[in-house]
Amino acid sequence: MPMLRRDKVIITCAVTGSIHTPTMSPWLPITPQEIADASIGAWEAGASIIHLHARNPDGSPTPDPDVFMEFLPRIKQSTDAVVNISTGGGHGMSLDERLAGALRASPEMTSLNMGSMNFGLFPILDKITDFRHDWERHHLENSRDFIFRNTFKDIEHILKVLGEGHGVRFEFECYDIGHLYTLAHFLDRGLVKPPLFVQSIFGILGGIGADEENLMHARRIADKLFGDAYYWSVLAAGRHQMNFVTMAAMLGGNVRVGLEDSLYIAKGELAKSNRDQVAKIRRIIEDLSLEVATPAEARGMLGLKGGDLVGF
C-alpha cells in the first residue's frame, strides 16, 4: 500500500443527524431543501465530506429513500463534496431501514458503527420540558431503554451489501476502545481494506467519555492496531466539539463538525448554520499552519470510487 498522505486535514460536516430535535434549535435543518442548503453551505466553507441523515416534515428521523433522493441530487449538482450516508439511522429503526437510503443512492461513503451500545439521550429531558412535537419527548425518553444494535453479523452484512455490492468505503464510527479492536478483527479477516477512515467519537452517554486522556488513548491504540493503514478523524458531542477536533488536528488527525454533533458555535451561543461551524474549524486549522483537503484530495486519500459512480 502506498504511503498515506498526511499533509491535508479532511473536514467532515454532519448536517442534521437523528439526535437533536426541532425544539432544541431553530436552525437545525429539517426539510430536504434545508438539508441541501446546509450541505452546500458546509461545502462552500471547506467541508469535503457531507454526512447525511433524513427527516420527516415534523423533524423526526426517517429512513425513507425517497426523502434522501429529494436532497441528494441537489447536493451533487451544486457541489463536488463526498456524500456520506448514515447507516446508523435513528433510534428504533431496523437494519433494513437503516440501509435503505444507502442502497438506493449507492454513495461513495457510508458510516458503519463498530459495536452495539447504550445510547442515552434522555438527560436532555432535564433541560427541556416543553416540546414543539410529541415525538420529541418519546424519542429522548425511549433512549433510556434502548440498545443501538451493531452485531458482528450486522457489520458483516453491511460490508457485503454496501462494500462489495456498491463499492462503498466506510467512515468506521468507534464509540469506544473496544470498537477499534472490532475493526481490527475485520481487517485481520480481510473484510475491510486500507486505508481505513476511523472516526473516534467522544461524549455520547454509553460510549467513551470526552476526556483528553481518552483522546490520546484512542490514538495510541489505533496506531498500535492499524499503523500506517488508517486515517484518524475525531468528533465530540456538544460542548466538547471544537476543543476535541482541534486537538485531533494538532495530533495529525482529521475533523468532523456539524449540527448533528453540536448545536453550538460557542459557549451559550447556538450555531446559526453548519457553514459557521465548518468556517470556524477551518480557521483554526489554518491558524495552526495546516491545510484543508479539497473533496478531490479527500477522494484520493480515502480511495473513493468517485462521484460519477453514485446512484443519484
Side-chain angles (χ1 to χ4, degrees):
M1 190 181 74
M3 184 75 68
L4 299 191
R5 185 171 186 174
R6 305 291 186 189
D7 61 330
K8 299 284 186 175
V9 179
I10 297 171
I11 299 175
T12 297
C13 183
V15 301
T16 186
S18 62
I19 292 174
H20 296 124
T21 70
T23 298
M24 299 177 192
S25 172
W27 291 290
L28 183 67
I30 300 297
T31 68
Q33 180 74 38
E34 290 169 347
I35 292 171
D37 288 344
S39 301
I40 295 164
W43 167 78
E44 289 173 341
S48 293
I49 301 175
I50 307 298
H51 174 99
L52 292 162
H53 292 243
R55 292 182 181 260
N56 291 310
D58 65 356
S60 58
T62 178
D64 188 347
D66 290 340
V67 179
F68 277 96
M69 296 305 290
E70 288 185 50
F71 55 78
L72 292 177
R74 173 141 187 258
I75 295 170
K76 181 180 177 182
Q77 291 162 7
S78 302
T79 80
D80 67 343
V82 175
V83 167
N84 174 346
I85 295 178
S86 169
T87 65
H91 284 191
M93 293 182 191
S94 69
L95 183 61
D96 286 344
E97 287 175 325
R98 287 162 48 185
L99 298 183
L103 289 172
R104 169 81 70 85
S106 189
E108 294 180 80
M109 293 190 76
T110 69
S111 64
L112 178 47
N113 301 81
M114 296 311 296
S116 301
M117 59 182 290
N118 293 332
F119 205 109
L121 308 178
F122 58 89
I124 299 172
L125 292 168
D126 296 333
K127 302 176 182 178
I128 302 175
T129 57
D130 187 22
F131 290 93
R132 289 171 53 190
H133 305 283
D134 289 341
W135 74 264
E136 298 180 65
R137 183 182 302 279
H138 297 302
H139 173 72
L140 299 172
E141 179 57 40
N142 286 346
S143 72
R144 195 185 301 270
D145 190 30
F146 171 75
I147 296 172
F148 182 29
R149 173 186 160 139
N150 298 283
T151 66
F152 287 99
K153 184 178 180 180
D154 293 339
I155 295 168
E156 290 168 353
H157 178 68
I158 293 171
L159 291 173
K160 183 174 182 62
V161 300
L162 286 176
E164 294 181 22
H166 288 265
V168 166
R169 301 281 292 171
F170 298 100
E171 171 197 14
F172 293 106
E173 296 196 343
C174 297
Y175 291 79
D176 221 330
I177 299 301
H179 293 179
L180 295 171
Y181 284 90
T182 297
L183 179 54
H185 162 81
F186 285 106
L187 180 63
D188 289 343
R189 290 173 59 188
L191 297 182
V192 301
K193 306 292 185 184
L196 309 177
F197 189 54
V198 178
Q199 189 75 259
S200 289
I201 300 169
F202 301 89
I204 295 294
L205 182 60
I208 197 166
D211 293 292
E212 290 83 357
E213 295 90 342
N214 288 337
L215 183 83
M216 300 301 296
H217 183 50
R219 182 59 191 265
R220 284 192 297 268
I221 296 299
D223 281 345
K224 174 183 176 180
L225 294 174
F226 309 123
D228 290 330
Y230 85 110
Y231 289 102
W232 187 49
S233 184
V234 165
L235 74 88
R239 64 184 178 86
H240 304 287
Q241 182 187 69
M242 286 296 169
N243 57 336
F244 262 63
V245 299
T246 298
M247 285 189 287
M250 292 172 67
L251 292 169
N254 304 282
V255 304
R256 178 174 132 175
V257 296
L259 297 187
E260 173 174 349
D261 304 333
S262 174
L263 294 174
Y264 290 83
I265 190 69
K267 185 176 181 179
E269 181 184 351
L270 287 171
K272 294 182 179 179
S273 68
N274 285 275
R275 175 199 292 268
D276 289 349
Q277 287 188 350
V278 174
K280 180 172 182 176
I281 194 57
R282 179 174 189 163
R283 184 169 63 251
I284 292 170
I285 288 169
E286 291 176 344
D287 284 347
L288 292 170
S289 298
L290 302 170
E291 294 186 32
V292 172
T294 66
E297 289 167 336
R299 285 185 172 90
M301 292 164 67
L302 301 177
L304 305 184
K305 65 182 181 180
D308 56 331
L309 295 177
V310 301
F312 55 91

